Amino acid sequence: MKIIACENIAPPKGHYSLAVRQGDLIFLSGIIPEIEEGGAQAFEFQVRSVFTKCEAILTASESDLQRVISCTAYIVGIENWELFNSVYAQLMGAHRPVRSVVPVPALHHGSSVELQVIASVL
């Protein structure tokens, strides 16, 4: 197992790795968007932000969004499902990995979305 670091992304504050590579697979921990201190950005902004972070981590892992095999999304509020799905479709294009969307009551640090991703290497 190889632990992946991404120089543009702060290391996790908890006892876990941002991402690991095992063989030809990349596993991303739950990734949350960048939230300004004391700010509460709009849901769509947070979705785009978390995908930007995931893309940076995947790039550092010799992968990209088009190599995503599985995506689990935790979103605050089932009412955000349609907007999440719309932005997800824009960002993923024709690529359709398996996916679960799990509504939750709250997430850490004021986040409204968290992604856990499995991808293959290039």
Side-chain angles (χ1 to χ4, degrees):
M1 178 174 79
K2 178 183 177 187
I3 295 174
I4 305 297
C6 182
E7 61 186 53
N8 299 332
I9 307 293
K13 294 178 182 176
H15 188 73
Y16 62 94
S17 299
L18 191 62
V20 298
R21 177 176 175 171
Q22 180 64 43
D24 288 337
L25 295 176
I26 308 298
F27 299 85
L28 274 62
S29 290
I31 306 299
I32 59 174
E34 291 296 323
I35 305 288
E36 291 180 9
E37 190 70 30
Q41 282 79 17
F43 182 76
E44 182 175 351
F45 174 88
Q46 288 196 29
V47 173
R48 292 183 184 282
S49 173
V50 77
F51 271 95
T52 298
K53 282 180 76 173
C54 287
E55 190 167 36
I57 297 164
L58 288 170
T59 298
S61 306
E62 301 177 14
S63 189
D64 60 32
L65 288 176
Q66 296 305 302
R67 302 282 181 184
V68 170
I69 297 166
S70 176
C71 177
T72 302
Y74 302 93
I75 63 170
V76 174
I78 190 66
E79 66 276 4
N80 286 316
W81 189 93
E82 284 188 43
L83 181 54
F84 174 81
N85 192 57
S86 175
V87 174
Y88 180 92
Q90 290 171 18
L91 297 172
M92 298 301 277
H95 183 56
R96 291 177 177 250
V98 298
R99 184 187 84 179
S100 296
V101 178
V102 183
V104 296
L107 291 166
H108 281 111
H109 310 292
S111 298
S112 294
V113 62
E114 180 174 341
L115 296 182
Q116 187 174 20
V117 173
I118 300 171
S120 63
V121 295
L122 297 173

